[in-house]
Amino acid sequence: MLTLLTKIHAPRLPSPRSNHRPTKRPNSSRDFFLEAFVELPRRNVIMRELHVKLRRIWSLTPRIRRFFSNHSVGIGDWIFRAALILLAIFCGCAWYSRTINMWSMKNIGDTFLRKQQNSRQIILGSFWREEREQNVDGRFAVIHFLGDSRIEHPVYCFSMVPNNEYAVTRATVQRIHRGKRAASDICSWAGHIAECPLEEHAYKDFKISTTPFVEDSMLIVPEAPLKEKRHDLVVCMAPMYIYTDWQTLLAGIEIWLAMGATKIVVPVQSASTTTYRILEEYQKKGIVIIRHWPKWPVLSDSNPNGLVLSRGIEESHVNCLFFTTFFCPWIRRKSDLELISRSFEAFSMSTPRPVLLLFEHRDVQFVPPKSQDKYSLSSFNFDFLRESRNKMNCNVWRMKTRVVVNASRVDSVNMHETGIHRFGYVQTRVPCRKAHFYHLRHSHNTVPSPSPIDMNPLVDILNGRWQQRLVEFSEFRDAQLNKSNTESLEDFDRCMGAINDEHWTMQVSRCLTPHVCFTRLKRNVDCIAVRADYEFYRSGRGYFMLPTNVTTQASLPNCEAPVPEFTSGNHFFAP
């Protein structure tokens, strides 16, 4: 049997003596290649499968050759073919990256994913609505907070009713200057106000939440109204960041006092010891109110301090607006040194129900004080203002404006415009030919269309008032003060110019924050900084953040204020 099977399955081999020749030679290399595999032993299954695959691959060769040699195809076919090849290359590279390094594919996927962030509200202040400001009955409170302007921020208010239950209302939430900032996400954080309708007997506190459930609510205690006499004109300065120019500060305060202001509100984050001590002296005299303005906390994925326009000038203006609305009819927003040329009451009497007076301003050269060997209040005077002799003519087409508002008739304002008006009040634009602001600007070394301006009467008034003020400063007037960094203004102007030029390009790396230009400079000056701790409250899927333990302390190097820390919270996860 073994012999028989051997004979049956043994391959036929030609006799070595015979002159065997193939009857037909392969007519091509293809036929010769295929016939060589036909003669392989059939019992080898692996070789047969390989044989079938090679035949299939070889059979595709003419098709591929015809695919690329066909000259009748159009440009669209070639684009399709090129895209198909690129897709194959991309898929191959992706698969290679996936098999080599899984983090490469993760990074590619992260490009198309976004982290879902719910409402995270940094509360800047809460205030009661004054009854004389209302045109409807009821009890209202206003919450001023900072939030991501790209998402909604629901706020529900809870106030206790006489039967020890809570009345639930939804607050009206509005973004400050939505139309002006909504076109760009560069300044992705902005100030908001939420107006809460409350039970009429709520006078001490109430609760807020991001959901209509009281178990998610946090207690809010609004700021008590400041007991002040009525002031005709109040000035709100911009926040002080790394502020050391005490000579410029004195010019601003004394000029506004000469123009009729009786109260000046100054938010401070960090300033030189000299600057802060001068403010304290004015505060003792009832002229200045120092408001602490700490940094905002750094969140899990963003730093609001760098994502807010000018690091919170608009937010500080609105906060000052609600703070001063109880004791002043007119309030002036100040971020530069400006003078008003006519009284406000003359226009308010001639205009029906004005909400604000919108003034055009004239640019005036501001030449900083020259360097001196000794720096003290007793050696300081305002003679440097005599060098400001050029101004820009009043042109009708110019749109740069400054605002004076009636604090009881608006809910949001910045240095150039108002945002939210009360019922029945209108904006009044004052023509430059009737009244205007003199805008003292250090950046104007040269101004177009100059015309002479005589600052001598103003300087004489300021010097006379300053001599009387020095008596009130007592022993502090002869103390040695730090050097004011007015000589660094040229570097600041170049830095600000670079930021403005960047905003006209397609790649913008930052929101317009002038403080980054201040931090470029190295200051070896003793400074005071405002420090705050923050607590957070998780409400539903959102968060509320509230500053606590706000104090002053020695600043960090280069006059920087410390970044706040979260010291308490009601949840495992921080905002």
Side-chain angles (χ1 to χ4, degrees):
M1 180 64 69
L2 180 60
T3 306
L4 180 61
L5 290 176
T6 303
K7 290 182 180 180
I8 294 175
H9 294 283
R12 282 181 158 182
L13 297 175
S15 175
R17 294 181 180 180
S18 62
N19 296 326
H20 176 76
R21 295 288 186 273
T23 59
K24 184 178 180 182
R25 290 180 59 85
N27 56 5
S28 65
S29 60
R30 173 177 174 273
D31 295 335
F32 177 80
F33 185 72
L34 294 177
E35 286 181 7
F37 280 92
V38 171
E39 296 301 329
L40 290 175
R42 299 295 183 179
R43 68 175 183 267
N44 194 329
V45 178
I46 298 177
M47 298 302 294
R48 280 186 307 201
E49 292 178 355
L50 181 61
H51 164 71
V52 173
K53 292 180 179 179
L54 289 175
R55 287 187 61 131
R56 290 177 179 175
I57 294 174
W58 194 265
S59 64
L60 292 175
T61 303
R63 299 180 185 179
I64 297 174
R65 198 182 304 121
R66 288 194 303 272
F67 180 82
F68 285 101
S69 62
N70 189 1
H71 299 286
S72 62
V73 296
I75 186 66
D77 295 329
W78 281 109
I79 294 176
F80 172 75
R81 294 169 183 176
L84 194 62
I85 294 173
L86 292 176
L87 178 62
I89 294 174
F90 175 79
C91 292
C93 295
W95 178 255
Y96 176 79
S97 300
R98 175 65 182 88
T99 57
I100 298 301
N101 186 353
M102 62 177 299
W103 292 104
S104 299
M105 289 301 294
K106 177 185 179 298
N107 293 335
I108 294 175
D110 288 345
T111 305
F112 304 97
L113 300 177
R114 296 190 67 179
K115 182 179 180 181
Q116 181 180 2
Q117 293 289 1
N118 294 288
S119 176
R120 295 177 292 177
Q121 304 176 18
I122 302 175
I123 297 178
L124 305 179
S126 56
F127 310 90
W128 295 111
R129 180 76 81 185
E130 193 175 5
E131 292 184 1
R132 65 183 179 87
E133 301 177 10
Q134 301 176 191
N135 61 311
V136 293
D137 295 332
R139 181 67 167 162
F140 298 89
V142 176
I143 302 170
H144 179 211
F145 66 90
L146 188 73
D148 193 335
S149 59
R150 296 167 295 184
I151 63 175
E152 294 184 359
H153 299 278
V155 176
Y156 292 87
C157 307
F158 302 84
S159 54
M160 186 73 71
V161 295
N163 59 357
N164 292 329
E165 295 182 356
Y166 284 101
V168 185
T169 57
R170 180 158 185 171
T172 301
V173 180
Q174 301 182 76
R175 177 184 170 185
I176 299 172
H177 305 291
R178 179 176 180 84
K180 185 175 182 181
R181 308 298 178 203
S184 175
D185 285 341
I186 302 169
C187 304
S188 57
W189 283 66
H192 298 71
I193 60 172
E195 184 168 14
C196 288
L198 302 175
E199 206 276 333
E200 61 180 5
H201 296 95
Y203 287 102
K204 293 183 179 180
D205 54 41
F206 60 96
K207 293 185 176 182
I208 59 173
S209 173
T210 60
T211 69
F213 306 107
V214 69
E215 56 268 20
D216 293 332
S217 61
M218 180 185 71
L219 185 67
I220 290 292
V221 181
E223 187 171 352
L226 187 65
K227 295 182 180 180
E228 278 277 343
K229 66 177 183 179
R230 301 291 294 179
H231 294 273
D232 293 333
L233 177 61
V234 176
V235 176
C236 287
M237 288 192 176
M240 285 188 171
Y241 307 108
I242 322 176
Y243 197 92
T244 61
D245 302 337
W246 58 269
Q247 294 170 319
T248 306
L249 172 67
L250 286 176
I253 292 177
E254 290 297 332
I255 288 174
W256 272 113
L257 293 178
M259 293 294 104
T262 54
K263 187 68 69 173
I264 300 175
V265 182
V266 186
V268 177
Q269 183 175 110
S270 62
S272 66
T273 305
T274 297
T275 299
Y276 197 77
R277 188 173 178 182
I278 291 174
L279 291 176
E280 287 181 324
E281 291 292 331
Y282 277 102
Q283 185 170 246
K284 292 177 183 178
K285 299 172 179 58
I287 297 174
V288 165
I289 299 178
I290 300 176
R291 298 273 286 175
H292 292 157
W293 192 254
K295 281 186 177 180
W296 299 312
V298 177
L299 305 182
S300 59
D301 64 333
S302 62
N303 182 5
N305 295 284
L307 300 176
V308 176
L309 179 67
S310 297
R311 202 169 176 176
I313 290 182
E314 290 183 352
E315 285 69 29
S316 69
H317 284 172
V318 173
N319 192 272
C320 184
L321 176 74
F322 286 105
F323 172 71
T324 58
T325 185
F326 287 93
F327 56 83
C328 73
W330 290 100
I331 184 169
R332 169 70 193 112
R333 301 300 170 193
K334 174 190 176 298
S335 62
D336 304 284
L337 303 179
E338 296 149 352
L339 307 179
I340 193 167
S341 62
R342 289 187 59 179
S343 67
F344 308 123
E345 295 299 331
F347 288 98
S348 62
M349 294 297 293
S350 61
T351 304
R353 300 179 67 80
V355 67
L356 77 151
L357 303 178
L358 192 62
F359 291 88
E360 297 181 13
H361 69 76
R362 297 183 180 181
D363 293 328
V364 179
Q365 288 180 333
F366 179 78
V367 181
K370 297 180 180 179
S371 300
Q372 301 175 4
D373 296 334
K374 295 182 179 181
Y375 300 93
S376 63
L377 295 180
S378 59
S379 63
F380 174 77
N381 57 59
F382 296 93
D383 288 340
F384 64 93
L385 292 176
R386 301 183 191 274
E387 303 297 328
S388 302
R389 296 185 178 276
N390 293 327
K391 72 178 189 314
M392 182 174 289
N393 290 330
C394 179
N395 298 320
V396 178
W397 58 268
R398 294 183 66 246
M399 296 299 293
K400 295 179 181 180
T401 55
R402 289 296 181 268
V403 174
V404 178
V405 302
N406 188 314
S408 63
R409 300 176 183 177
V410 296
D411 274 353
S412 68
V413 64
N414 64 11
M415 68 192 80
H416 297 291
E417 61 186 356
T418 57
I420 305 170
H421 294 183
R422 301 284 175 78
F423 178 78
Y425 295 106
V426 296
Q427 173 178 295
T428 302
R429 187 180 182 96
V430 180
C432 186
R433 63 183 181 274
K434 291 187 176 181
H436 53 268
F437 275 92
Y438 287 150
H439 188 178
L440 276 67
R441 306 185 65 174
H442 60 75
S443 59
H444 281 250
N445 295 323
T446 58
V447 290
S449 304
S451 59
I453 178 174
D454 186 9
M455 299 289 284
N456 290 319
L458 175 64
V459 172
D460 294 338
I461 294 175
L462 295 179
N463 283 334
R465 294 170 62 96
W466 179 245
Q467 293 301 319
Q468 299 176 3
R469 188 83 64 197
L470 283 175
V471 179
E472 302 173 358
F473 279 102
S474 64
E475 59 186 22
F476 180 51
R477 61 185 177 183
D478 295 321
Q480 191 72 15
L481 306 181
N482 67 273
K483 185 179 180 180
S484 188
N485 289 331
T486 52
E487 71 277 359
S488 64
L489 295 179
E490 292 184 2
D491 181 82
F492 173 78
D493 293 337
R494 288 193 298 268
C495 178
M496 285 298 299
I499 293 179
N500 290 331
D501 293 340
E502 188 182 63
H503 280 73
W504 293 100
T505 64
M506 298 299 293
Q507 296 180 350
V508 181
S509 62
R510 65 181 68 86
C511 181
L512 180 57
T513 50
H515 74 281
V516 300
C517 295
F518 283 112
T519 56
R520 287 161 43 93
L521 307 173
K522 300 299 181 182
R523 295 171 173 82
N524 297 320
V525 179
D526 292 335
C527 287
I528 297 295
V530 177
R531 178 187 179 275
D533 296 328
Y534 268 81
E535 63 179 5
F536 68 88
Y537 193 93
R538 183 174 172 86
S539 174
R541 295 185 177 180
Y543 290 89
F544 294 109
M545 288 156 281
L546 191 66
T548 60
N549 301 326
V550 181
T551 58
T552 58
Q553 64 177 33
S555 69
L556 299 178
N558 201 26
C559 205
E560 278 282 0
V563 177
E565 297 181 357
F566 288 109
T567 57
S568 61
N570 69 330
H571 198 71
F572 296 106
F573 308 111

